[in-house]
Amino acid sequence: MCHKLLVAKISAYGFDDLSTGLVKSYLENRQQRTKVGNELSNWIKIKDGVPQGSILGPLFFNIYICDLFFIIEDTKVANYADDTTPYVGAPTWIEVSGKLSSVAEKIFTWLSINQMVGNADKCQLIVNIIDDSLYLNIREETVFNTKTSKILGVTFDNLLTFESHIENLCKKASLKITALARMSTYLTLEKKKRLMNAFIKCHFNYCPLIWMFHSRALEDKINNLHKRCLRIVYSDYNSSFDDLLKLDNGSTFHQRAIQSLSTELFKSKLNESESKIFLKNQCKIKTRKRNSFRSRVVESEMNGKSSLAFLGPKIWATLPDDCKKLKNLDEFKKEIKQWRPTTCPCRNCRTFIHGVGFID
């Protein structure tokens, strides 16, 4: 990140000379060196970048790359910090590849102009069809279609089942549960609970809204791991999973994900969320059972019935009226933690009879 270019962009966005001068003073005349053991390198002047760990660092970076999105057309972009993911939907691969190739070239050209380096060898391609022959040429690299791609710690597959992601979470959690079992006889109950919360539950608390509506088989696998962990923590190998949850004063990971989803819906209701996933009910006629949100129109189970946009409003309708009437986010978070969803409309919670299907 070039300091002169950053100051110029801040000025272009309308900041006065005093503000840009303050930013310039903050960035210039900084030095760094490296220490290995008792040895120190010479001081080197920092010509690019921002101080690591600073509060202003992420803000300056966002300002610096903001104009990148002005040049992107015909595609949408998901961006978080320095992770930029263009995506596009079209009827044919020819249209998709053409748009992605075009936007990739624009991004790499922008990076070069703005004195940044893009790594084409780190690019990934994932298409919603299984065909290993599909590829994109990005600069001098050939990027082939893959079945899975990891973005910000979440593994996406081409059919959005999230099987690979959850299988990986379960493997990590299982290894740590095994380690907890080995040392459990030497630990107090309080220490075992801390280890469970810090090193095992944390895996399933990361971005649950993305992968929460997965298959019933994966839900059973997660619950079995959770039950196994609770048995070790409380040294109780006879109680049912429900009784162990009551003993822990906790809930299943799926229930916690529903609580998180309810919080996002509440933020959307208060207009405190920038998400456009949930559609508000525009009907002006108020009734006692009127839902604040409406589900999107979808065609089938495979085409939307397991999405946040479709299930979110239905889950909101199951919330207690006292929670939905609250006006403060902190109060809602406090109340929602005490709520245990029992009528979730997702396929993991609906009654399923083999050979018949889901029973509503």
Side-chain angles (χ1 to χ4, degrees):
M1 188 190 305
C2 175
H3 292 170
K4 290 183 179 180
L5 192 51
L6 172 61
V7 172
K9 290 188 178 190
I10 291 174
S11 178
Y13 285 130
F15 287 82
D16 57 29
D17 292 341
L18 181 62
S19 300
T20 53
L22 184 62
V23 172
K24 183 179 179 182
S25 175
Y26 172 75
L27 295 172
E28 66 184 6
N29 296 324
R30 288 183 176 270
Q31 295 181 317
Q32 66 180 6
R33 64 178 177 178
T34 302
K35 181 179 180 180
V36 179
N38 294 323
E39 300 295 324
L40 292 170
S41 67
N42 296 326
W43 287 104
I44 299 176
K45 186 176 181 180
I46 301 175
K47 298 180 181 179
D48 303 292
V50 294
Q52 296 298 302
S54 64
I55 296 175
L56 289 173
L59 175 61
F60 285 155
F61 184 82
N62 286 336
I63 292 173
Y64 194 85
I65 68 169
C66 186
D67 59 298
L68 165 63
F69 308 105
F70 296 156
I71 66 170
I72 296 176
E73 300 173 349
D74 299 328
T75 59
K76 296 181 179 180
V77 178
N79 172 263
Y80 184 83
D82 61 345
D83 195 298
T84 302
T85 307
Y87 60 98
V88 63
T92 66
W93 165 244
I94 294 176
E95 294 177 75
V96 170
S97 60
K99 291 180 179 181
L100 288 178
S101 295
S102 175
V103 72
E105 182 59 33
K106 288 180 180 179
I107 290 173
F108 277 87
T109 300
W110 182 92
L111 290 171
S112 177
I113 293 172
N114 286 267
Q115 301 184 35
M116 300 182 77
V117 179
N119 296 317
D121 59 331
K122 290 186 178 181
C123 292
Q124 301 177 74
L125 172 67
I126 182 168
V127 187
N128 66 337
I129 54 176
I130 301 174
D131 188 344
D132 296 335
S133 65
L134 301 181
Y135 66 91
L136 288 178
N137 287 319
I138 301 178
R139 293 297 167 104
E140 297 180 357
E141 295 290 332
T142 300
V143 183
F144 286 95
N145 179 32
T146 59
K147 295 180 182 178
T148 61
S149 179
K150 196 169 185 178
I151 303 174
L152 295 174
V154 177
T155 302
F156 290 79
D157 59 83
N158 62 321
L159 298 178
L160 294 181
T161 64
F162 294 99
E163 287 190 6
S164 297
H165 179 71
I166 297 170
E167 290 285 356
N168 189 39
L169 291 183
C170 290
K171 286 180 182 178
K172 291 180 179 178
S174 180
L175 289 172
K176 292 182 179 180
I177 292 172
T178 301
L180 178 63
R182 290 174 180 170
M183 64 178 75
S184 61
T185 55
Y186 306 102
L187 300 173
T188 63
L189 174 61
E190 187 61 31
K191 288 182 179 180
K192 286 188 287 186
K193 289 171 67 175
R194 286 185 182 181
L195 288 173
M196 174 178 65
N197 292 329
F199 295 103
I200 298 168
K201 286 186 176 181
C202 64
H203 292 296
F204 301 99
N205 291 336
Y206 179 69
C207 296
L209 300 191
I210 295 178
W211 50 266
M212 64 181 288
F213 298 123
H214 44 68
S215 69
R216 188 181 292 265
L218 290 173
E219 180 68 12
D220 291 341
K221 191 167 188 175
I222 293 172
N223 286 339
N224 287 333
L225 281 172
H226 194 181
K227 179 172 67 174
R228 176 186 162 200
C229 186
L230 291 173
R231 288 190 185 283
I232 294 169
V233 169
Y234 290 99
S235 301
D236 184 343
Y237 297 90
N238 297 314
S239 297
S240 66
F241 185 35
D242 289 337
D243 289 337
L244 288 168
L245 288 172
K246 291 178 182 178
L247 184 62
D248 190 49
N249 192 28
S251 53
T252 66
F253 293 118
H254 185 65
Q255 287 174 331
R256 293 185 66 174
I258 291 174
Q259 293 169 348
S260 298
L261 173 56
S262 301
T263 302
E264 289 303 313
L265 284 158
F266 185 77
K267 288 162 66 176
S268 293
K269 180 184 175 184
L270 297 182
N271 296 319
E272 293 184 5
S273 172
E274 296 183 2
S275 172
K276 301 185 184 301
I277 295 175
F278 308 113
L279 300 177
K280 290 188 177 182
N281 197 334
Q282 301 298 327
C283 180
K284 296 182 180 180
I285 301 175
K286 295 185 178 181
T287 62
R288 283 184 298 175
K289 294 187 177 181
R290 175 179 175 270
N291 198 344
S292 300
F293 302 92
R294 57 186 175 91
S295 294
R296 296 179 186 270
V297 177
V298 297
E299 298 176 357
S300 65
E301 197 79 31
M302 288 296 293
N303 294 312
K305 285 191 176 180
S306 295
S307 66
L308 285 178
F310 181 79
L311 288 174
K314 295 183 178 295
I315 289 174
W316 177 263
T318 67
L319 264 66
D321 289 337
D322 291 343
C323 287
K324 291 189 283 189
K325 291 178 181 178
L326 292 172
K327 303 295 182 182
N328 182 275
L329 180 59
D330 291 332
E331 292 179 4
F332 182 85
K333 287 181 177 180
K334 183 178 179 181
E335 290 296 322
I336 206 67
K337 286 182 179 179
Q338 308 304 318
W339 175 63
R340 297 293 181 268
T342 56
T343 56
C344 173
C346 79
R347 59 185 174 183
N348 289 326
C349 300
R350 290 158 60 194
T351 303
F352 180 83
I353 298 178
H354 184 71
V356 177
F358 290 106
I359 305 298
D360 293 321

